[in-house]
Every structure is written in structure tokens, then in C-alpha cells.
Amino acid sequence: MAPATKALYKQVFPVKSDLESAGKVSTEVRRILRSLGVEPEVVRRAGIVCFEGEMNIALYTKGGRIILIVRDDRVELLFSDRGPGIADIDLVKQPGYSTAPDWARELGFGAGMGIPNMEANSDRFAMYSRVGVGTVIRATIFRRCHETCGGNRAPGT
Ligand SMILES: Nc1ncnc2c1ncn2[C@@H]1O[C@H](COP(=O)(O)OP(=O)(O)OP(=O)(O)O)[C@@H](O)[C@H]1O
Ligand SMILES: [Mg+2]
């Protein structure tokens, strides 16, 4: 496999363990991607992936961070948190599985669709977790112009 191209843009966003500012990172990520001229469909998918990952960090963890990396051919989102970790990754990937508490369900969370939606909107999706330590998710979305926007293209075409 060809190595990933050089990062055009990289930013780290801390995510707190509360809902007060939850959603801000995904709004900012969408804004950044649009301003970089990333294809609207890629911005849309990255926005969904980012929002769901951000909400899960805010709701279920002690806090963490999201790293946005934009390359010529792809957008990468890396989520990491400080625990509690996930014992059964296959289980949390199942549509409908949720441990959201009642107060979160009253706010509209808890359909158990966040991680399935993250996976469905990513071209590559990997989750690693260690109970008592934390969880890392890497989501990759390939850009539409992957084949045609590379260095081989003649200027103006
Ligand atoms: N970063 C995380 N650390 C620990 N547990 C997590 C993390 N993210 C998700 N989970 C667990 O996985 C379950 C499924 O997550 P998912 O995002 O798919 O659904 P949900 O958050 O419960 O509901 P929805 O996202 O549809 O509002 C959560 O209920 C929670 O138990
Ligand atoms: Mg969720």
C-alpha cells in the first residue's frame, strides 16, 4: 500500500467530559474542511463521524481529544480518550447497543447508532481499546478527487 501523502493540515482538539460544549469540535472541523476546499460529500461524512465520536467522548469518558489530519487524498480523524475503555468492541459496533443513562436518552442520545454511523461513513475504521485505560478510533475518509487531483494532473485540467 502506498504511504499516506504529507499532511496539508493538522489540528488537535481537546474534548471535555461534559455536554456543555459538545458538538463544537465537529462544527469547527466542518468549517475547516470547507475552508480548505474539501469536497462537500467528504465534509458531510467527516462531520457525522466527528460528531458521533465527539459525543461519545463527552458522554462516556473522562475526556479526550480529536486530531484532524487533512491530506491530498484523505481526511483522517483520530479519537482518543482517558477511559473507562470498552470491553467488547464487537458489541458496541452493533446497531442499537447502548448504555446511555436515562438523562442522556431524554436529550435524544442512546439510539446505539453512533459507532455504526461512524463506521458507515468511513472508508476505513479501526477501534482499539483497553479497559481501565481508554479507547482509540481511527477513521479515514478518502477524498473524491483521489485519482484525478494527484500530482500527475496537468494544471488547469
Ligand atoms: N469512547 C467510549 N468509551 C467507552 N464506551 C463507549 C465509548 N463510545 C461508545 N461507548 C459505548 O458504546 C455504546 C454504543 O455507542 P454508540 O455511539 O454506538 O451509541 P450511543 O452513544 O449509546 O447512542 P447514539 O450514539 O445513537 O446516541 C455506548 O452506549 C457506550 O456504552
Ligand atoms: Mg453515541
Side-chain angles (χ1 to χ4, degrees):
M1 204 188 309
T5 53
K6 190 172 139 275
L8 303 172
Y9 184 94
K10 180 176 172 182
Q11 190 164 334
V12 181
F13 303 89
V15 181
K16 280 201 224 146
S17 176
D18 67 55
L19 284 182
E20 208 177 302
S21 53
K24 288 225 173 98
V25 176
S26 48
T27 302
E28 180 65 0
V29 162
R30 280 198 303 268
R31 191 191 65 74
I32 290 166
L33 293 177
R34 274 197 300 269
S35 75
L36 290 170
V38 171
E39 306 67 37
E41 176 64 7
V42 175
V43 177
R44 188 185 71 78
R45 290 167 65 202
I48 293 169
V49 171
C50 191
F51 179 79
E52 296 295 350
E54 179 183 6
M55 286 303 168
N56 283 350
I57 294 175
L59 271 172
Y60 304 114
T61 79
K62 296 176 185 156
R65 63 185 193 172
I66 299 172
I67 303 176
L68 168 69
I69 301 170
V70 183
R71 304 183 194 277
D72 265 346
D73 65 339
R74 70 192 73 181
V75 173
E76 287 171 350
L77 286 161
L78 309 174
F79 304 83
S80 57
D81 66 63
R82 296 190 289 277
I86 295 169
D88 187 339
I89 301 259
D90 290 336
L91 183 61
V92 299
K93 280 184 170 183
Q94 281 179 22
Y97 175 80
S98 178
T99 64
D102 286 344
W103 63 264
R105 289 176 190 271
E106 278 160 24
L107 294 172
F109 300 102
M113 287 310 294
I115 292 171
N117 277 337
M118 289 174 82
E119 191 162 23
N121 283 283
S122 301
D123 294 307
R124 285 189 196 151
F125 185 79
M127 275 180 89
Y128 311 92
S129 193
R130 219 163 165 187
V131 175
V133 182
T135 301
V136 173
I137 297 175
R138 181 191 202 110
T140 305
I141 299 157
F142 288 112
R143 297 182 60 182
R144 277 294 134 109
C145 61
H146 188 188
E147 303 290 311
T148 50
C149 295
N152 299 331
R153 201 174 64 161
T157 60

